[in-house]
Amino acid sequence: GTIDMNKKIVINVLGWALLLEAVCLLLPLIFAIIYKEPEMYIFAVCSAICFAVGFLFKSINPKNRSMYAKEGLASVSLGWIFLSIFGSLPFVMSGSIPNFIDALFETVSGFTTTGASILSNVEALPRSILFWRSFTHWIGGMGVVVFLVSLLRLSGGNNLYLLKAESTGPAVGKLVPKVQSTAKILYGLYTLFTVVQMVLLILGGMEIFDAITISLGTAGTGGFGVLNSSAAEYTSY
C-alpha cells in the first residue's frame, strides 16, 4: 500500500524555516536602528510573529524523523509559501507596499530571485526596507531549504530529497559524503563571494549601504536595485 506522508516532519521543518526567517528579520532591524528609522518597531514585531509561529511548528516533534521525496517536496513547496507570506509583512506593515498581494509578489520575486518589481520609486523607501528587499534575493539565491539542511540533522530518510526539491539546474550530486557538509561548503563559498564583492565595491568608491544591498542582489543573481536607475547609476565610476 501507499506510505502516508510524514506530516509532522514537514511541520517541524517549516517551524525551523520560520525561526530562521525570524533571525533574518533582525538584520534589517539593525539597519533601521542605524538610520534611526521608525521601521525598527515593525521589524521587531515581524520577527516576533515569525518566531512565535516557528516555535509553535517546531515544537511538533515527529516520532519518525525519516524524510523521503514526498516530504521533501511538501517541505519545499510549503516553505516557499510560508516564508513569502511572513516575508511580505514588513512591506505591508510599514506602508511601503500597502497592498498585501503586491507585497507578496515583491517578496516571492525576491525569494525566487526573479527580480521583477511592482515598485516604481524604490528610492522613496526606507533603507531598512530596501535592505530586507535585497536580502530576500540573497536568501533565495542559495535556497532557503539548502540552508536548513546545513543546519539540521534530520536523522533517517534522506536529506538529499530536500536538496533535490530545492535546487534548480542539473541533478544535485554530493560534493562530500554528507549532504549537510555539502550545504555548509556551498553556503560558505556563497557568503565569501558576497563579502568579497561588498569589499571591492566599497574600495571602488561606492557608498557602503549601496555596496551591501547590490552585493546581496547580485550574489543571488537577482535584479533588485536600491536606485531607480539600478546599476546604470554607477556608469560614472
Side-chain angles (χ1 to χ4, degrees), residues 13-55:
V13 169
L14 286 177
W16 278 106
L18 289 173
L19 287 176
L20 278 177
E21 189 171 29
V23 173
C24 291
L25 281 161
L26 295 176
L27 281 175
L29 172 67
I30 294 167
F31 279 87
I33 292 167
I34 293 169
Y35 293 109
K36 299 184 174 62
E37 293 173 347
E39 279 71 26
M40 55 187 165
Y41 301 111
I42 283 156
F43 280 109
V45 168
C46 290
S47 179
I49 294 169
C50 217
F51 182 83
V53 179
F55 189 77

Side-chain angles (χ1 to χ4, degrees), residues 37 91 96-97 119 121-127 129-130 133:
E37 293 173 347
F91 295 120
S96 299
I97 309 178
L119 295 164
N121 181 11
V122 291
E123 289 174 34
L125 296 183
R127 287 190 158 187
I129 291 285
L130 285 175
R133 189 167 161 264

Side-chain angles (χ1 to χ4, degrees), residues 109-129:
S109 177
F111 281 141
T112 55
T113 64
T114 307
S117 177
I118 58 100
L119 295 164
S120 52
N121 181 11
V122 291
E123 289 174 34
L125 296 183
R127 287 190 158 187
S128 52
I129 291 285

Side-chain angles (χ1 to χ4, degrees), residues 87-166:
S88 62
L89 290 179
F91 295 120
V92 180
M93 288 166 72
S94 66
S96 299
I97 309 178
N99 183 319
F100 174 69
I101 299 300
D102 285 351
L104 190 63
F105 177 88
E106 197 79 14
T107 313
V108 170
S109 177
F111 281 141
T112 55
T113 64
T114 307
S117 177
I118 58 100
L119 295 164
S120 52
N121 181 11
V122 291
E123 289 174 34
L125 296 183
R127 287 190 158 187
S128 52
I129 291 285
L130 285 175
F131 173 82
W132 175 242
R133 189 167 161 264
S134 295
F135 195 49
T136 57
H137 257 346
W138 191 84
I139 297 167
M142 267 296 284
V144 182
V145 182
V146 179
F147 190 28
L148 271 177
V149 173
S150 68
L151 291 180
L152 284 183
R153 290 197 175 161
L154 295 168
S155 52
N158 190 344
N159 292 337
L160 200 59
Y161 285 118
L162 257 183
L163 218 57
K164 275 182 177 163
E166 166 66 41

